[in-house]
Amino acid sequence: MALRTIPAVGAALGILGAAQWLGIRSPPRAVPGVSVTATAALLGVARAAGLGRDDLGLAPSRLRAGARLGGAPAAAVGVGYAVGAALPVTRALFADRRAARTFPGALRQACVDVPLGTVLLEETGFRAVLPALLRERCGPAGADAVAAVLFGLWHVLPSAALVEANPALARASGGGARPGRAATAAGNVVVTAAGGALFGLLRRRSGSLLAPALTHTALNAFGYLAAYAVRRAGAPSRAGGVSPPGPAGG
């Protein structure tokens, strides 16, 4: 018998909450393992609820559409970050204390920590499993909207690190005021919820989870690489950056 919608949504949210709690308290190298395990559990919930690959955006036949719709914004993000890191007026936004100090470390963050520790879990949870579970009750657009709001709220705890790690970005998130935890958290929730809505649109238009996953990976991975480049170029140490930490970074 298929798991009913409300219990399935509750189970999915419980898995996401446990993964975030464990991710924040685990050493960085253990976070991808937490994310992969939680992702497998989410897919188990989806299967118990009777969802198939098409419902989750995992159908192989949609990979080409996903690569096409996700690749273009991912490339645009790369160009935008390169320009932003090069311009003095925006460079401080990219100097992140959470970014690795060595190129191999930054490469690991971009190629392992982001796709496995952040994107895999967040896209599976907020663009695949939760919208699919909510679709029957809320409709496609409504399900995506609820998932986007939950995605924004998911970033409340990670936003606490932003004030210390990136005062410049925290100030921007708080509307230009002196960075405070409450204002930064509120700004971060709004920004990430809007990003979640965009990711959901990419998922719905392409029919593939690959589209938002590529864009999401670009936003975080290029952020780490830009932060490393700014650090190497000698940006002021008091500035902060773009790349969110751990599986709850967004």
Side-chain angles (χ1 to χ4, degrees):
M1 179 182 295
L3 194 63
R4 290 181 177 272
T5 300
I6 293 177
V9 170
L13 292 176
I15 291 167
L16 287 166
Q20 185 178 73
W21 188 87
L22 286 172
I24 290 173
R25 288 157 180 77
S26 299
R29 288 184 177 272
V31 169
V34 172
S35 177
V36 170
T37 302
T39 298
L42 284 172
L43 292 175
V45 169
R47 182 173 182 179
L51 300 175
R53 289 187 299 182
D54 286 338
D55 301 310
L56 300 173
L58 299 176
S61 61
R62 303 302 302 169
L63 285 175
R64 182 175 295 182
R68 184 176 67 252
L69 285 183
V77 167
V79 173
Y81 277 15
V83 173
L87 294 175
V89 69
T90 52
R91 188 176 299 148
L93 295 172
F94 293 85
D96 197 322
R97 292 173 182 172
R98 294 166 295 183
R101 294 180 175 272
T102 65
F103 182 68
L107 205 58
R108 175 187 166 81
Q109 287 177 321
C111 298
V112 178
D113 295 347
V114 167
L116 294 181
T118 299
V119 174
L120 178 67
L121 176 60
E122 293 185 356
E123 291 307 313
T124 300
F126 295 102
R127 253 67 68 186
V129 176
L130 285 174
L133 290 173
L134 294 167
R135 201 166 290 139
E136 184 176 347
R137 288 175 177 264
C138 304
D144 283 351
V146 172
V149 171
L150 292 172
F151 184 60
L153 294 174
W154 162 266
H155 288 82
V156 170
L157 288 180
S159 69
L162 189 62
V163 175
E164 297 298 328
N166 187 342
L169 192 59
R171 189 160 45 248
S173 297
R178 181 179 179 181
R181 295 188 184 278
T184 300
N188 208 22
V189 166
V190 171
V191 169
T192 51
L198 173 61
F199 293 155
L201 180 62
L202 288 172
R203 156 72 178 88
R204 199 162 69 247
R205 289 281 178 88
S206 66
S208 174
L209 196 63
L210 182 60
L214 285 175
T215 306
H216 194 169
T217 299
L219 283 166
N220 289 21
F222 290 155
Y224 278 123
L225 295 176
Y228 169 76
V230 167
R231 187 194 295 274
R232 288 281 295 176
S237 60
R238 57 189 175 85
V242 218
S243 321

